[in-house]
Amino acid sequence: GLFCCQNYPLYIRSVPTENELKFHYTVHTSLDVVDEKISAMGKALVDQRELYLGLLYPTEDYKVYGYVTNSKVKFVMVVDSSNTALRDNEIRSMFRKLHNSYTDIMCNPFYNPGDRIHSRAFDTMVNSMMMQVC
Amino acid sequence: MEGVTLSEAEQRYYCDLFSYCDTESTKKVASNGRVLELFRAAQLPNDVVMQIMELCGATRLGYFGRSQFYIALKLVAVAQSGLPLRVESLNTVKDLPLPRFVVSKNEQESRHTALYSSDADNPASYSGVIPPPPPGRIQVKKGSVSHDAVQQRTSTDQQESTSPVVSPQQSPPTSPHTWRKHNRHPSGGNNERPLAGPGPFWAPFSEVQPGSSTSSDPIWSGHSPPPHQENWVSFADTPPTSALLAMHPASVQDQTTVRTVASATTANEIRRQSSSYDDPWKITDEQRQYYVNQFKTIQPDLNGFIPGSAAKEFFTKSKLPILELSHIWELSDFDKDGALTLDEFCAAFHLVVARKNGYDLPEKLPESLMPKLIDLEDSTEVGEQTGEVGYSGSPAEAPPSKSPSMPSLNQTWPELNQSSEQWETFSERSSSSQTLTQFDSNIAPADPDTAIVHPVPIRMTPSKIHMQEMELKRTGSDHANPTSPLLVKPSDLPEENKISSSVKFTAGNTVNGYSSSDSYTSDAEQIGNAVTRQRSHSGTSPDNTAPPPPPPRPHASHSRSSSLDMNRSFSVTPGQQQAGVVAYPPAVPPRPQPSQGTGPHVHRSVDADGLIAHTSTSPQQIPEQPNFADFSQFEAFAVSGVNKEEEDEIETHSEVLQVEKPSDSASSLRVAKADGRVEDKAPANVPSSAGKGTTPLAPPPKPIRRRLKSEDELRPEAEEHTQKTGVIAAVLASQPSIPRSVGKDKKAIQASIRRNKETNTVLARLNSELQQQLKDVLEERISLEVQLEQLRPFSHL
């Protein structure tokens, strides 16, 4: 999931289509955790390492990772807990890729910040990423 | 001519045909478009069709009245019967078969026209759209041209008068619209004809000649300006179009002609398009010319960028949905910098045209549309002119032109394989791999004691800033460098080289620091060396500079590093792009020595010789190294790290490296870029023969020093350059030794040739690397700007 600064979703994608609504709910609730972490940060943080919020919320079924950009665009990723192969570095790299793709989208003059993201390239990238994980 | 007598069957047939052609239902004038289509369907040669039109008086009148139409049809029948076209034949030939028109064509044309009309409310109005841009221009160019006051014209004139009003607003989109209509129906046949047609027809189009003229040529020339701009793309294949144009002497008539011709030329264009769609995405010359002209209207400098906002406006006029435009942008903005270069713009425009013609947008940018076309255009003829234009940019334009070249660099790797110039390919690839290897080195520095990894990231940032400085420096000094033989990016490379040359001196040391990438960095160094060398020697010494020794070493390093580094670098590259790690790539391992390796290809080709040369030069270099020690002002860790990296990579020259290490470690100062350069040159000059040695020594120590300095100023590019210069310097140093060791003219010549080749390769690689760095920097800047913009309102958060 990808959310704008006002916390409305710009992009949500999940691989297993079942329980999609549950994932949506999880992602939305995780936004609260993200906001909490952001407010806890205090000063403006430019370092990318701090953009990565890390494991937000481990539940019994899955883990939620968060990542925020300097423009308060939040990336939230929900992964299955059974997928233990995912390490923190991998999550970081995935967020990095997401951020890069998002930047590319922003470069497109036809894209208005705040719109839903319809970019096919972005979709492709996200799908490939999710395929890697699953 | 008016006295044509028609048999009953002919009368009926002609009447039907006239009705068919009378798309405007004027009952008086046969639409020129339809008539053209009809004539084309008659499968007569173009000149015959022209002749027919002349004879029937349409040329004179400028339109096809009923009588003219009938005469024309009769003449068509005559021509199809193989009889010479004469006015007398109209009435004298008896039992003339009815003119035959290929039904399929007619159907196609009717379909086209139907679609045509469906697409636009009124085909006439639509064609009116087509004229606007050209007429807009034409009218600016020439005043209203007197033309026969044909009453039929008035209607068209009125339409034309409206179209010019429309044109200013729609000038760009109209052409896409036009093309869309025209290109919607690629027809299989007559591809050759349309293509052949425009040739002779457009030839006469030299200047605008208003007024009717007895000959068709002047008329055509009168029409040339309008069609040139827009209708070239649309009408390139339509000989009848030009013929029709001939019928409208005035510029205003041009519009009319364009309008009517538009419908008629639909089939022609379609045919042409179909011919060009052997590769569906290939841009024909006419199209490219048109794109270039459109580009000029937005951005007069062909090497500059079109900012995203301007491009957005431009393409929004094409009335495609925003979503599709967004997708087109994604495809065409190759370097993701938010701006369109000429190549990107042409690709985007072509995609818009294709989309309007009903072609679905591809998921990935087709190969023929990739910006690399510019680079590859040297080998291909398509867009060569534009490519040259793109390349003719001044050094100031290096950065913008670099973007197309950079994407091309990245994307041309597969294409490079196809390029005839292997070394170019290789150098480009090597430079990219250097980039990657650079990352690797950063990630896993072979040298533990070198804080290379850390400094690298830090360097990236400042280096970027300094890149500009470097470039400025470079621009000043460039032109002296004969870097022409470099790779595909002719203008970019030389410019980059220039930059690199200046940067090399400054960043040489820093580059050395990065030299994790084995083979390539050495090449970069060599490039740097070569460039620096050239600069020092006013570009006279390239012959001697090609250091034979480097080839073998870099080659060895290739095997080692290429397999590992490239793998790692590739994986790392995406992640590190933000950090501007790209800057690293150019930072060839400062290995001053032969690793300069004019390039892997050079090495390969010259391996045998190179090895010999290297061995011969290595000992030479060793004595030179003390010079490094004298002037190199490395920080111990940086130097050692650099050296170590180099050592690992350069097997054959390990000894030399070791020697260098001590020398490097000895120097811990940072040398001012200029000073360092001078100093480096000085010692280098001493050991090596005049014209060679200056750079070899200088670059290696400089890269190392520079690396340290990177934090201050030198950008990764600078570092790379310095590394390269170091490499080149090393190469240069080796060169002197070679002749001495060999002691034969022939060998010396061969060695010099090798050196030159190596130098060229190195320079080319350096250029590509620099361009890559620049691109990365631009990307980062854009992303940062975006973030900054978004952050501003959020400062309160």
Side-chain angles (χ1 to χ4, degrees):
Chain A
L2 197 163
F3 296 88
C4 179
C5 60
Q6 277 81 26
N7 286 346
Y8 58 82
L10 293 183
Y11 185 83
I12 291 187
R13 178 66 65 88
S14 57
V15 171
T17 49
E18 68 273 6
N19 288 342
E20 194 156 3
L21 197 59
K22 178 165 167 248
F23 284 129
H24 285 211
Y25 161 76
T26 310
V27 165
H28 275 270
T29 54
S30 63
L31 285 178
D32 287 338
V33 184
V34 173
D35 283 341
E36 180 187 334
K37 284 192 185 269
I38 289 177
S39 59
M41 280 182 180
K43 339 173 210 171
L45 305 162
V46 188
D47 194 348
Q48 184 173 355
R49 280 193 292 273
E50 305 184 24
L51 297 175
Y52 173 66
L53 303 171
L55 184 60
L56 292 178
Y57 184 68
T59 71
E60 65 279 8
D61 290 336
Y62 46 83
K63 304 181 202 149
V64 182
Y65 294 93
Y67 181 93
V68 68
T69 71
N70 287 332
S71 54
K72 304 300 177 203
V73 177
K74 305 173 190 61
F75 296 82
V76 178
M77 196 180 326
V78 179
V79 294
D80 206 357
S81 285
S82 58
N83 193 348
T84 54
L86 277 181
R87 296 202 317 273
D88 193 59
N89 276 342
E90 293 175 8
I91 303 285
R92 280 182 194 268
S93 68
M94 285 170 72
F95 274 127
R96 204 159 33 224
K97 278 195 251 179
L98 274 174
H99 195 176
N100 285 338
S101 302
Y102 179 70
T103 308
D104 290 342
I105 289 179
M106 290 300 250
C107 287
N108 190 333
F110 299 104
Y111 172 75
N112 301 317
D115 290 349
R116 295 254 170 174
I117 294 180
H118 299 283
S119 156
R120 282 182 240 179
F122 189 79
D123 288 348
T124 311
M125 192 275 302
V126 171
N127 282 337
S128 66
M129 235 169 48
M130 292 199 290
M131 288 306 142
Q132 283 176 6
V133 176
C134 309
Chain B
M1 295 225 299
E2 284 66 19
V4 61
T5 56
L6 301 175
S7 66
E8 202 172 358
E10 286 177 339
Q11 182 84 16
R12 278 200 304 273
Y13 185 51
Y14 291 174
C15 195
D16 291 342
L17 285 176
F18 189 81
S19 311
Y20 169 75
C21 291
D22 193 9
T23 52
E24 297 177 15
S25 304
T26 62
K27 298 286 190 295
K28 282 204 174 170
V29 180
S31 157
N32 282 338
R34 285 289 182 85
V35 171
L36 279 181
E37 291 174 4
L38 206 60
F39 287 167
R40 278 202 304 277
Q43 294 181 332
L44 294 173
N46 294 338
D47 52 348
V48 172
V49 172
M50 281 159 42
Q51 204 176 359
I52 290 176
M53 287 196 287
E54 284 178 8
L55 285 175
C56 73
T59 308
R60 201 162 28 85
L61 295 176
Y63 67 101
F64 270 110
R66 188 171 284 267
S67 57
Q68 279 77 37
F69 187 75
Y70 289 173
I71 293 167
L73 289 176
K74 188 103 185 191
L75 287 173
V76 167
V78 168
Q80 284 179 341
S81 314
L83 300 172
L85 292 179
R86 295 278 157 71
V87 178
E88 299 78 10
S89 62
L90 286 174
N91 292 329
T92 55
V93 176
K94 307 282 191 233
D95 299 330
L96 199 60
L98 292 176
R100 298 176 300 278
F101 297 96
V102 178
V103 178
S104 63
K105 287 290 186 312
N106 283 343
E107 287 177 353
Q108 243 179 0
E109 290 169 358
S110 59
R111 181 166 60 96
H112 297 166
T113 51
L115 288 170
Y116 205 76
S117 51
S118 65
D119 288 334
D121 298 334
N122 185 356
S125 65
Y126 184 81
S127 57
V129 170
I130 302 170
R137 299 195 201 102
I138 298 164
Q139 286 173 352
V140 171
K141 284 188 202 173
K142 47 181 184 172
S144 63
V145 180
S146 63
H147 41 275
D148 302 341
V150 181
Q151 295 193 348
Q152 277 82 0
R153 288 268 180 69
T154 55
S155 62
T156 59
D157 288 346
Q158 286 168 1
Q159 281 179 343
E160 291 168 358
S161 60
T162 55
S163 60
V165 174
V166 177
S167 60
Q169 303 159 5
Q170 297 180 9
S171 56
T174 52
S175 49
H177 284 283
T178 309
W179 295 346
R180 167 166 59 125
K181 297 288 162 94
H182 294 299
N183 301 336
R184 189 176 293 275
H185 316 284
S187 58
N190 290 355
N191 289 339
E192 297 311 311
R193 238 174 41 124
L195 286 173
F201 289 168
W202 291 110
F205 288 11
S206 52
E207 64 262 347
V208 177
Q209 290 186 7
S212 59
S213 53
T214 54
S215 68
S216 55
D217 283 356
I219 293 174
W220 289 343
S221 62
H223 295 280
S224 59
H228 271 301
Q229 296 290 340
E230 244 189 333
N231 301 332
W232 265 44
V233 183
S234 316
F235 307 134
D237 297 333
T238 59
T241 310
S242 52
L244 282 181
L245 293 176
M247 296 191 289
H248 300 267
S251 60
V252 177
Q253 295 172 5
D254 292 346
Q255 297 176 8
T256 315
T257 306
V258 173
R259 185 170 55 81
T260 53
V261 168
S263 56
T265 54
T266 306
N268 289 337
E269 287 179 358
I270 290 170
R271 294 195 198 104
R272 186 172 65 90
Q273 289 300 330
S274 59
S275 65
S276 66
Y277 284 149
D278 297 332
D279 172 8
W281 300 107
K282 197 171 126 183
I283 301 182
T284 65
D285 285 341
E286 294 93 355
Q287 285 177 322
R288 182 160 270 272
Q289 191 58 41
Y290 183 75
Y291 299 148
V292 172
N293 293 334
Q294 290 294 321
F295 185 92
K296 281 184 196 161
T297 62
I298 306 179
Q299 163 69 280
D301 184 6
L302 285 172
N303 285 324
F305 288 111
I306 288 187
S309 50
K312 179 180 178 179
E313 290 175 29
F314 183 85
F315 287 113
T316 308
K317 289 192 234 171
S318 70
K319 302 212 174 40
L320 283 181
I322 292 290
L323 189 58
E324 296 191 6
L325 289 174
S326 174
H327 188 64
I328 287 176
W329 177 277
E330 272 181 17
L331 291 177
S332 58
D333 188 9
F334 213 71
D335 44 8
K336 301 279 182 249
D337 58 357
L340 294 183
T341 63
L342 181 62
D343 257 355
E344 293 172 347
F345 178 83
C346 291
F349 212 144
H350 199 64
L351 287 171
V352 168
V353 169
R355 189 77 185 103
K356 286 188 150 294
N357 286 316
Y359 285 85
D360 288 331
L361 294 178
E363 287 299 321
K364 285 176 35 171
L365 193 64
E367 277 190 9
S368 52
L369 287 182
M370 284 187 175
K372 65 171 164 52
L373 268 181
I374 290 184
D375 294 344
L376 293 182
E377 280 170 1
D378 295 343
S379 50
T380 63
E381 72 291 354
V382 177
E384 214 169 12
Q385 54 215 348
T386 51
E388 291 167 358
V389 172
Y391 287 126
S392 57
S394 59
E397 295 300 343
S401 50
K402 186 182 79 86
S403 356
S405 54
M406 291 311 293
S408 63
L409 176 60
N410 294 332
Q411 298 297 333
T412 47
W413 285 5
E415 272 67 34
L416 287 177
N417 294 329
Q418 308 161 6
S419 76
S420 55
E421 299 175 340
Q422 275 193 348
W423 63 280
E424 286 183 359
T425 304
F426 195 86
S427 55
E428 280 201 2
R429 204 183 288 128
S430 61
S431 52
S432 342
S433 54
Q434 260 181 344
T435 307
L436 298 173
T437 52
Q438 295 278 336
F439 288 100
D440 284 347
S441 57
N442 298 331
I443 298 170
D447 203 352
D449 57 357
T450 55
I452 295 175
V453 178
H454 293 296
V456 166
I458 297 174
R459 262 188 294 175
M460 299 310 298
T461 329
S463 60
K464 285 182 198 173
I465 303 172
H466 290 278
M467 278 172 49
Q468 296 169 2
E469 294 178 11
M470 296 289 190
E471 287 180 5
L472 289 178
K473 278 190 194 179
R474 178 172 63 108
T475 56
S477 58
D478 282 334
H479 306 272
N481 290 340
T483 57
S484 52
L486 291 184
L487 299 175
V488 279
K489 305 175 267 231
S491 64
D492 292 339
L493 285 178
E495 294 170 354
E496 291 298 343
N497 283 339
K498 297 176 187 172
I499 298 177
S500 62
S501 56
S502 57
V503 172
K504 279 183 286 195
F505 291 116
T506 56
N509 297 332
T510 54
V511 171
N512 289 336
Y514 288 109
S515 61
S516 54
S517 59
D518 307 333
S519 51
Y520 299 113
T521 54
S522 60
D523 291 341
E525 286 177 350
Q526 285 174 350
I527 294 172
N529 292 339
V531 176
T532 54
R533 199 159 30 82
Q534 288 173 353
R535 280 163 38 133
S536 57
H537 305 287
S538 309
T540 54
S541 61
D543 299 344
N544 298 331
T545 55
R553 254 193 294 163
H555 186 64
S557 58
H558 270 302
S559 57
R560 200 155 40 105
S561 57
S562 56
S563 57
L564 298 175
D565 291 343
M566 289 190 63
N567 294 338
R568 275 183 301 174
S569 57
F570 277 109
S571 61
V572 176
T573 307
Q576 296 183 0
Q577 277 176 358
Q578 294 182 11
V581 182
V582 179
Y584 294 132
V588 178
R591 207 185 307 176
Q593 290 157 8
S595 59
Q596 302 168 3
T598 51
H601 59 272
V602 177
H603 300 311
R604 294 164 192 165
S605 58
V606 205
D607 259 355
D609 297 339
L611 281 168
I612 297 173
H614 281 294
T615 51
S616 61
T617 53
S618 51
Q620 304 280 351
Q621 290 178 353
I622 293 176
E624 292 171 352
Q625 288 190 347
N627 294 330
F628 287 108
D630 299 341
F631 301 92
S632 64
Q633 301 141 357
F634 318 100
E635 290 174 290
F637 70 94
V639 174
S640 58
V642 172
N643 291 335
K644 285 184 188 177
E645 289 175 345
E646 292 183 350
E647 285 179 351
D648 296 340
E649 300 165 354
I650 302 178
E651 299 162 353
T652 57
H653 302 276
S654 57
E655 50 188 1
V656 179
L657 291 172
Q658 289 166 0
V659 177
E660 287 182 349
K661 273 211 291 193
S663 64
D664 291 342
S665 54
S667 64
S668 59
L669 309 175
R670 288 205 194 157
V671 183
K673 301 180 188 180
D675 297 340
R677 256 181 297 168
V678 174
E679 290 177 356
D680 293 337
K681 284 186 185 177
N685 284 325
V686 172
S688 59
S689 58
K692 294 188 207 172
T694 55
T695 46
L697 295 180
K702 276 192 259 180
I704 299 174
R705 278 184 306 215
R706 298 303 173 201
R707 187 167 58 88
L708 302 177
K709 288 176 105 177
S710 63
E711 290 156 352
D712 298 342
E713 16 176 349
L714 295 182
R715 306 305 135 226
E717 294 178 351
E719 297 166 347
E720 298 169 353
H721 296 302
T722 53
Q723 285 179 0
K724 290 180 185 171
T725 54
V727 173
I728 295 176
V731 173
L732 293 174
S734 61
Q735 288 175 357
S737 61
I738 297 171
R740 287 180 236 143
S741 59
V742 175
K744 288 182 183 176
D745 291 344
K746 187 177 179 184
K747 283 200 180 180
I749 291 171
Q750 290 174 350
S752 62
I753 290 172
R754 280 199 307 273
R755 286 192 295 268
N756 288 337
K757 285 186 185 174
E758 290 172 356
T759 306
N760 287 341
T761 313
V762 169
L763 286 168
R765 214 150 33 110
L766 183 62
N767 275 342
S768 57
E769 287 173 356
L770 287 170
Q771 288 172 354
Q772 243 181 4
Q773 281 186 349
L774 181 61
K775 190 180 79 152
D776 293 330
V777 170
L778 290 176
E779 285 181 5
E780 286 189 30
R781 190 184 64 178
I782 288 170
S783 63
L784 288 173
E785 284 172 358
V786 167
Q787 286 187 351
L788 185 63
E789 280 183 17
Q790 292 191 344
L791 271 176
R792 284 206 198 102
F794 303 129
S795 55
H796 64 280
L797 285 178

